[in-house]
Each structure stands twice: as structure tokens, then as C-alpha cells.
Amino acid sequence: MPNWCYTNIEFRGKDAVKFWEMLERARERSCKIVQGGDFGEYWLGHYLVGSGVPEEDAVHSSHAWYDCRGTIDKDSIDDAVQGDIVCIKTETAWSPKIGMFRHLVDLTGLDVTVHYYGEESDNGVYVASDRSMTEGADYIVDSCINEDKLPEIEDEKVRAVCEALSEPGFYINRQLKGVLEKLYGAPPIKFSDLMDKFMEYLEDEDVFDEDDTYITIHRIKFDEPASKVA
């Protein structure tokens, strides 16, 4: 049983809507002739098969381009077209399945670019095409803070940091660095080391002793070159 990766995907470009309409027609064609296995009519492989890829290749992912183990979120289909951008969501095994969509763009020759952000938290997979999909941020904070427990944190600086990171979501470098420097000042060490130091502190000092209260900070891996910390 795989872990599931949840991905937001955007198709952009002057042909984005046209491309999406072609994909949906392809899915409808495939649904009439292919069962889609455990995934049914929302299997991602329908987009490939309906576009001419042999069913055997799609089912067995015979090429990286054909890795399609997962589904499209059926609710996102109805609201996919948002102006001149198409936005969909997928649920896939272990990682985003972006190669298949980029392959389909190449097959059509249309003016479309594929952008995405995906996460599979059990294995710490946080990946994106570019920072336009992460609100400009390089990091994502996953946190669940029981406010009733905050007064029990004796160190005021640690408590301030925990309060500042109580909202899960994207954090730009400068913002996250500023939060951690509330605790450590501005030490002459790399930002990544500063972050590791904080995470080790939370673990070693048992700041949170309950499973429903936690903070984890993850660096997002981008297809584009990483930026320097501001």
C-alpha cells in the first residue's frame, strides 16, 4: 500500500484551456474502453490512453512518462478552468506524476507550461516546480499547537517561537529566519543549521510531550535552482 502524495497542478500558457479540454475528451474516450483498475473513471492513465498511449504501457508504467498511478480529484475537474489558467489536484502513489502531463504537452505541441506543488508528508516529500506555487517560500511548516500547552513552556523565547509558528503553511526564508532569531539572536551559522538546531532542541528537551502537539519545518525541493537565504 503506497503513501499518497497530494499535488496541486497548474497549466499555464495561451493554450492552457485548449489543452485541458483535449485532456478531458481523452479521459472520456478512455473511460468507454478501459476500466481503470482500482482507480475507476478518475485514473490518471485515462489521459494517456485516450491520447493514444497503449493501455499496457499506461497500466505498467513502462516509461517514466507513463507513470500514472493515482487519480485526479473529481471535484477539481468541475472548477479546473480559472480564467486562462487550469488548476487541478491529484492523489498519487509516493510522488507527483508530473512527467505524464509534460509528455502530453509535448505530444500536442501546444503553448502550455506545467507547474506544481506536491507533498507526501510521511516520507518528507515536499516538492515544487517553482516558487510561484509556494507563495514565494522555500519552506513549509507543519504544526499543530495546543494553545493550552503553550504556558507550560518555561523558556519565554521558545514559547514565542512556538506561537509564531503555530499556523501551518508556507514561510519565506526571511520570515522564518526572523522567527528563529528571536530564540538564537543572529548567530554566525547557516540558516539551515539554525533550523536544525531548533528542531533538535524541540526533540531533546521534550518541549512537546503529546502526539497532537508538534512543529516540523521542511525545505521544499524545487525543479529550479534554489535561492540564497535573504
Side-chain angles (χ1 to χ4, degrees), residues 150-171:
L150 284 175
E152 298 178 9
I153 301 176
E154 295 181 1
D155 190 313
E156 292 183 4
K157 292 182 178 180
V158 173
R159 186 164 63 248
V161 171
C162 292
E163 289 175 346
L165 298 180
S166 62
E167 288 293 329
F170 296 120
Y171 283 71

Side-chain angles (χ1 to χ4, degrees), residues 20 24 27 42 47 72-81:
W20 172 245
E24 272 298 277
R27 186 178 68 85
Y42 298 104
Y47 293 116
I72 182 171
D73 176 8
K74 63 180 180 180
D75 292 330
S76 72
I77 293 176
D78 295 334
D79 299 320
V81 178

Side-chain angles (χ1 to χ4, degrees), residues 121-192:
S121 58
D122 286 346
N123 284 319
V125 175
Y126 298 87
V127 293
S129 56
D130 58 90
R131 287 164 183 77
S132 71
M133 295 298 294
T134 65
E135 301 173 9
D138 279 2
Y139 291 87
I140 185 165
V141 172
D142 183 16
S143 62
C144 180
I145 304 298
N146 184 337
E147 294 184 0
D148 293 337
K149 293 292 182 180
L150 284 175
E152 298 178 9
I153 301 176
E154 295 181 1
D155 190 313
E156 292 183 4
K157 292 182 178 180
V158 173
R159 186 164 63 248
V161 171
C162 292
E163 289 175 346
L165 298 180
S166 62
E167 288 293 329
F170 296 120
Y171 283 71
I172 62 173
N173 294 353
R174 191 163 48 249
Q175 179 185 17
L176 190 54
K177 184 179 181 182
V179 169
L180 294 181
E181 286 182 352
K182 290 181 181 179
L183 177 59
Y184 297 109
I189 62 175
K190 293 192 303 182
F191 175 57
S192 57

Side-chain angles (χ1 to χ4, degrees), residues 1-45:
M1 185 71 175
N3 291 336
W4 296 108
C5 179
Y6 300 93
T7 307
N8 296 329
I9 300 174
E10 291 186 3
F11 302 126
R12 305 176 191 167
K14 68 181 183 67
D15 295 329
V17 174
K18 180 179 179 180
F19 175 67
W20 172 245
E21 291 172 347
M22 291 176 62
L23 286 191
E24 272 298 277
R25 287 195 296 269
R27 186 178 68 85
E28 291 169 1
R29 285 195 298 271
S30 178
C31 284
K32 294 177 181 178
I33 59 175
V34 177
Q35 293 299 313
D38 294 335
F39 299 121
E41 63 181 302
Y42 298 104
W43 175 46
L44 290 180

Side-chain angles (χ1 to χ4, degrees), residues 35 44 46 53 58 62-64 75 92 109 114 124 131 134 145 165 174 197 212 219 225:
Q35 293 299 313
L44 290 180
H46 285 309
V53 173
S62 62
H63 191 286
D75 292 330
T92 54
V114 184
R131 287 164 183 77
T134 65
I145 304 298
L165 298 180
R174 191 163 48 249
K197 186 176 182 180
D212 63 349
R219 186 176 181 90

Side-chain angles (χ1 to χ4, degrees), residues 22-130:
M22 291 176 62
L23 286 191
E24 272 298 277
R25 287 195 296 269
R27 186 178 68 85
E28 291 169 1
R29 285 195 298 271
S30 178
C31 284
K32 294 177 181 178
I33 59 175
V34 177
Q35 293 299 313
D38 294 335
F39 299 121
E41 63 181 302
Y42 298 104
W43 175 46
L44 290 180
H46 285 309
Y47 293 116
L48 293 169
V49 176
S51 299
V53 173
E55 179 182 350
E56 186 75 5
D57 290 342
V59 170
H60 296 291
S61 301
S62 62
H63 191 286
W65 291 336
Y66 303 151
D67 188 358
C68 55
R69 188 178 182 189
T71 60
I72 182 171
D73 176 8
K74 63 180 180 180
D75 292 330
S76 72
I77 293 176
D78 295 334
D79 299 320
V81 178
Q82 300 180 16
D84 57 357
I85 295 177
V86 176
C87 305
I88 62 172
K89 297 180 180 181
T90 62
E91 181 178 346
T92 54
W94 306 111
S95 63
K97 307 306 179 189
I98 302 302
M100 59 165 284
F101 289 111
R102 288 177 171 161
H103 178 56
L104 290 169
V105 169
D106 290 341
L107 286 179
T108 63
L110 294 175
D111 181 1
V112 180
T113 55
V114 184
H115 305 259
Y116 71 94
Y117 170 75
E119 59 180 60
E120 191 278 275
S121 58
D122 286 346
N123 284 319
V125 175
Y126 298 87
V127 293
S129 56
D130 58 90

